[in-house]
Amino acid sequence: QITLKESGPTLVKPTQTLTLTCTFSGVSLSTTGVGVGWIRQPPGKALEWLALIYWDDDKRYSPSLKSRVTITKDPSKNQVVLTMSNMDPVDTATYYCAHRVRDIASGIYYSAFDVWGQGTMVTVSS
Amino acid sequence: ENVLTQSPGTLSLSPGERATLSCRASQSVSSTYLAWYHQKPGQAPRLLIYGASSRATGIPDRFSGSGSGTDFTLTISRLEPEDFAVYYCQQYGSSPWTFGQGTKVEIK
């Protein structure tokens, strides 16, 4: 069974850097095809994809946030870390990490997300 | 980026009725890399459909997905009480992956 859990500060000040950690179990980021993404959701609004890291350390970023966001992984700790610089009140949201789905029939991984963490609410305020 | 537009914004139906949700992309979604999720208040989204029509593990067969190119549909054949939620589509055919703005399925 795959599980993911986000951790990090619940409150950050404007201009500060946010660091969130996704700790997972039941899967290895060293396994071909595996990937973990970050998605956020402002209160009452839609989902927004932020970043994705693959087993081979390839990375993808949302263009609108690329200059502010970095995603890294530590397979030995089963963790993926998201950092976001220059935080602003508009970045107030629930931040989720999620696992890429593996099609059971073919064994191929796709970038839809089948297992999500519970989410962590981050408020940006002075 | 590939913008996804969902319609309607809100769908008011009764348990047992059929629900049809639409997701339209601004550009063709390559290889039908289109997923559907639902989300209940205070919970993380749950994957229902990927590859436009493949049900995720544990998803009942009253959920079905169809479509290709720019037009996709999620159908719930008979609404159960637990199906009233917000539904999102997501394309993962081209980076950046994008989500639609959501359709709320509410009890009439």
Side-chain angles (χ1 to χ4, degrees):
Chain A
Q1 180 189 6
I2 299 170
T3 64
L4 302 94
K5 186 174 183 179
E6 307 86 353
S7 59
T10 57
L11 179 66
V12 297
K13 296 185 186 320
T15 76
Q16 286 187 334
T17 294
L18 171 70
T19 299
L20 294 174
T21 300
C22 176
T23 303
F24 53 87
S25 64
V27 66
S28 171
L29 250 179
S30 300
T31 299
T32 299
V34 173
V36 172
W38 285 93
I39 301 100
R40 71 179 178 181
Q41 185 173 37
K45 296 188 177 181
L47 302 164
E48 179 186 14
W49 173 75
L50 304 178
L52 178 70
I53 190 164
Y54 294 94
W55 80 100
D56 60 359
D57 210 38
D58 190 14
K59 301 164 187 177
R60 295 286 184 271
Y61 294 102
S62 169
S64 63
L65 293 167
K66 188 173 183 179
S67 63
R68 299 174 52 210
V69 171
T70 302
I71 190 169
T72 59
K73 64 180 174 64
D74 186 339
S76 66
K77 294 182 180 178
N78 280 358
Q79 291 181 337
V80 170
V81 176
L82 181 81
T83 60
M84 183 178 297
S85 63
N86 195 24
M87 293 291 284
D88 183 272
V90 301
D91 297 313
T92 293
T94 296
Y95 287 75
Y96 296 99
C97 61
H99 167 266
R100 296 177 81 211
V101 66
R102 179 177 178 269
D103 181 80
I104 292 177
S106 66
I108 297 173
Y109 283 85
Y110 298 99
S111 291
F113 301 105
D114 65 338
V115 184
W116 295 60
Q118 64 190 21
T120 185
M121 177 66 192
V122 178
T123 300
V124 184
S125 174
S126 55
Chain B
E1 73 178 42
N2 201 342
V3 177
L4 302 182
T5 302
Q6 294 185 239
S7 61
T10 302
L11 200 50
S12 299
L13 295 167
S14 301
E17 289 194 293
R18 181 184 187 90
T20 303
L21 288 68
S22 173
C23 177
R24 177 162 290 178
S26 61
Q27 306 165 31
S28 183
V29 178
S30 55
S31 303
T32 63
Y33 286 165
L34 192 287
W36 290 93
Y37 303 81
H38 72 187
Q39 184 180 33
K40 299 176 187 179
Q43 296 185 17
R46 183 181 183 187
L47 179 66
L48 303 171
I49 300 287
Y50 63 96
S53 61
S54 297
R55 273 187 299 277
T57 302
I59 300 303
D61 60 8
R62 65 179 181 272
F63 291 93
S64 63
S66 62
S68 63
T70 60
D71 290 299
F72 298 87
T73 301
L74 175 71
T75 301
I76 310 169
S77 59
R78 289 177 55 85
L79 282 165
E80 297 288 341
E82 61 267 28
D83 299 337
F84 292 92
V86 179
Y87 288 77
Y88 295 98
C89 57
Q90 177 219 347
Q91 69 80 24
Y92 51 98
S94 59
S95 181
W97 321 146
T98 49
F99 290 89
Q101 84 281 15
T103 289
K104 182 179 182 180
V105 178
E106 64 177 23
I107 299 176
K108 187 174 181 180

